[in-house]
Amino acid sequence: MPRVLISGISGQDGSYLAESLVHEGCEVHGLVRRTSLEVPHVKLTRISPFLDKLTLHPCSLESQTALFEVVREIKPDFLYHLGAQSFVSYEIEQEYATLDTNLGSTHALLSAVMRFAPECRFYFAASSEIFGHAETSPQNESTPFNPRSIYGISKLAGFHICKSFRENEGVFACSGILYNHESPRRGKEYVTRKIISQAVAIHRGQSDVIKLGNLDSERDWGHAKDYVNAMRKITEFDKPDDFVVASGRTHTVREFCQKAFSLLDLTFEDFFEYDPRFFRPTEKTTLCGDASKAKKELGWSPSHDLDSIIEEMMNSELERTASLSN
Ligand code: GDP
């Protein structure tokens, strides 16, 4: 059975990926922060149901020596590099930390693979943010990159590092350019989970307001499970390559809210309050992905639409909070 190493295993995507691999009997290793191991009931909740089937390694993405060491020890058949510093801020130190961690970890893992596990298939989690202020829509693998955030720039550099190891060193290195993907495991800082949890709080009488920024913002939203499935198809393909993974449809934040609230027989507009703290003045373009290449070459297509994603997130939130509200 294949030996798989996942950075970012405790996140939304890492947990779905690990779950599917464990289910198939793979030997699954994950990188986690040492501090997460000290409080697993707080930091490792997404992987707690199958924690006993995983081997976790305390290893920070900031430590290139530690990353090198882990790859040397495990010699994985597949390595999914999903972990990244995603904090988007305008403070210089934070921006530099994002660049440093994201570039350094990708470079260290690929160098280690080249040296200690040359047959390993390497996946890099790129992001639609590498298109940034794209001039055309929808975007595909040939669309010029135009990132406008430090996070997007770090992901674009990672994408190119991957490509250079593939073309210059012969490493089986691929990138998935993933658009927004949601699920009940999404963090509360993202707008979809925030809307769902606030709607449930209002439904339970624990709150009477939902404060948001720009309701006209649009996103190309898919389901994390479908996107993790695409990651696996990318690494199992005949040759290493890069793929856009997206639903190809955009919806506004307002539409998401209306759909979510109506599931609870509530009218969103009765509770909405605009809060300028959540407005992003530099956000200009709407990104929409064209996943025809993944469809054609990998046979990938999403199995969830936005309605089914919202319904699943809502049911899960109602279940999760039921015991707390009694
Ligand atoms: P992102 O695509 O990684 O930025 O994902 P988010 O879920 O954080 O944001 C999705 C969209 O929702 C963006 O266009 C935001 O401007 C918009 N948005 C509107 N109000 C809010 C809010 O209160 N919180 C967040 N996170 N986003 C908001």
Side-chain angles (χ1 to χ4, degrees), residues 264-277:
L264 301 170
D265 291 324
L266 297 169
T267 304
F268 163 65
E269 286 75 11
D270 294 344
F271 304 96
F272 168 64
E273 194 177 301
Y274 171 69
D275 189 330
R277 282 179 304 156

Side-chain angles (χ1 to χ4, degrees), residues 4 36 53 90 109 112 130-131 149 164 166 173 186 229 238 243 250 257 276 284 286 302 305:
V4 185
S36 301
K53 307 258 182 359
Y90 297 100
L109 288 170
I130 68 177
F131 291 119
S149 67
S164 104
R166 176 166 81 222
R186 196 55 149 153
N229 181 19
D238 312 339
F243 294 90
T250 61
C257 291
K284 288 201 184 83
T286 297
D305 63 9

Side-chain angles (χ1 to χ4, degrees), residues 42-319:
V42 182
K43 299 282 188 185
L44 303 179
T45 49
R46 295 183 180 97
I47 51 174
S48 60
F50 48 95
L51 207 52
D52 57 332
K53 307 258 182 359
L54 305 172
T55 309
L56 298 182
H57 304 261
C59 178
S60 144
L61 290 181
E62 281 94 52
S63 170
Q64 297 178 23
T65 322
L67 292 168
F68 225 69
E69 215 25 60
V70 169
V71 175
R72 192 174 70 87
E73 184 194 326
I74 300 167
K75 297 188 177 51
D77 300 303
F78 291 87
L79 200 168
Y80 293 90
H81 181 30
L82 313 183
Q85 156 114 240
S86 65
F87 186 66
V88 182
S89 118
Y90 297 100
E91 285 171 36
I92 288 170
E93 294 83 359
Q94 282 291 349
E95 292 196 336
Y96 184 71
T98 299
L99 285 171
D100 194 30
T101 306
N102 295 356
L103 268 67
S105 59
T106 307
H107 185 261
L109 288 170
L110 276 161
S111 307
V113 161
M114 185 179 82
R115 182 142 169 218
F116 303 117
E119 299 304 313
C120 174
R121 293 183 167 213
F122 184 93
Y123 173 89
F124 174 65
S127 148
S128 57
E129 286 213 26
I130 68 177
F131 291 119
H133 289 184
E135 279 166 18
T136 52
S137 185
Q139 300 81 41
N140 64 23
E141 295 77 4
S142 317
T143 305
F145 303 120
N146 202 9
R148 278 294 175 274
S149 67
I150 288 293
Y151 175 73
I153 291 167
S154 78
K155 284 287 176 181
L156 181 55
F159 173 89
H160 283 302
I161 294 172
C162 234
K163 208 166 170 177
S164 104
F165 272 80
R166 176 166 81 222
E167 291 175 4
N168 301 342
E169 312 295 347
V171 175
F172 194 109
C174 344
S175 292
I177 306 171
L178 270 53
Y179 282 63
N180 290 48
H181 42 291
E182 316 300 309
S183 78
R185 298 186 192 174
R186 196 55 149 153
K188 282 194 175 165
E189 65 279 22
Y190 289 90
V191 79
T192 54
R193 181 75 194 289
K194 176 176 170 181
I195 295 163
I196 297 288
S197 68
Q198 304 274 307
V200 168
I202 291 170
H203 166 74
R204 296 205 191 283
Q206 294 156 347
S207 167
D208 54 10
V209 64
I210 173 165
K211 297 182 182 182
L212 295 164
N214 187 5
L215 297 184
D216 296 321
S217 266
E218 290 179 59
R219 283 291 182 270
D220 177 338
W221 280 301
H223 195 298
K225 266 192 178 176
D226 283 333
Y227 288 38
V228 161
N229 181 19
M231 290 179 196
R232 296 201 53 191
K233 283 183 178 286
I234 291 171
T235 53
E236 285 159 15
F237 192 48
D238 312 339
K239 57 179 175 52
D241 204 350
D242 307 317
F243 294 90
V244 162
V245 179
S247 81
R249 295 195 59 190
T250 61
H251 295 271
T252 60
V253 171
R254 186 192 311 278
E255 270 177 272
F256 192 105
C257 291
Q258 288 168 339
K259 284 172 185 283
F261 275 68
S262 74
L263 285 180
L264 301 170
D265 291 324
L266 297 169
T267 304
F268 163 65
E269 286 75 11
D270 294 344
F271 304 96
F272 168 64
E273 194 177 301
Y274 171 69
D275 189 330
R277 282 179 304 156
F278 301 116
F279 184 77
R280 302 180 192 169
T282 55
E283 197 172 62
K284 288 201 184 83
T285 41
T286 297
L287 293 172
C288 179
D290 168 10
S292 333
K293 180 177 167 188
K295 234 166 247 177
K296 183 162 166 265
E297 297 192 14
L298 307 173
W300 176 83
S301 60
S303 59
H304 297 77
D305 63 9
L306 190 64
D307 286 338
S308 72
I309 297 169
I310 294 177
E311 210 173 302
E312 187 185 331
M313 289 179 77
M314 185 62 81
N315 289 337
S316 160
E317 192 74 21
L318 286 168
E319 209 175 294

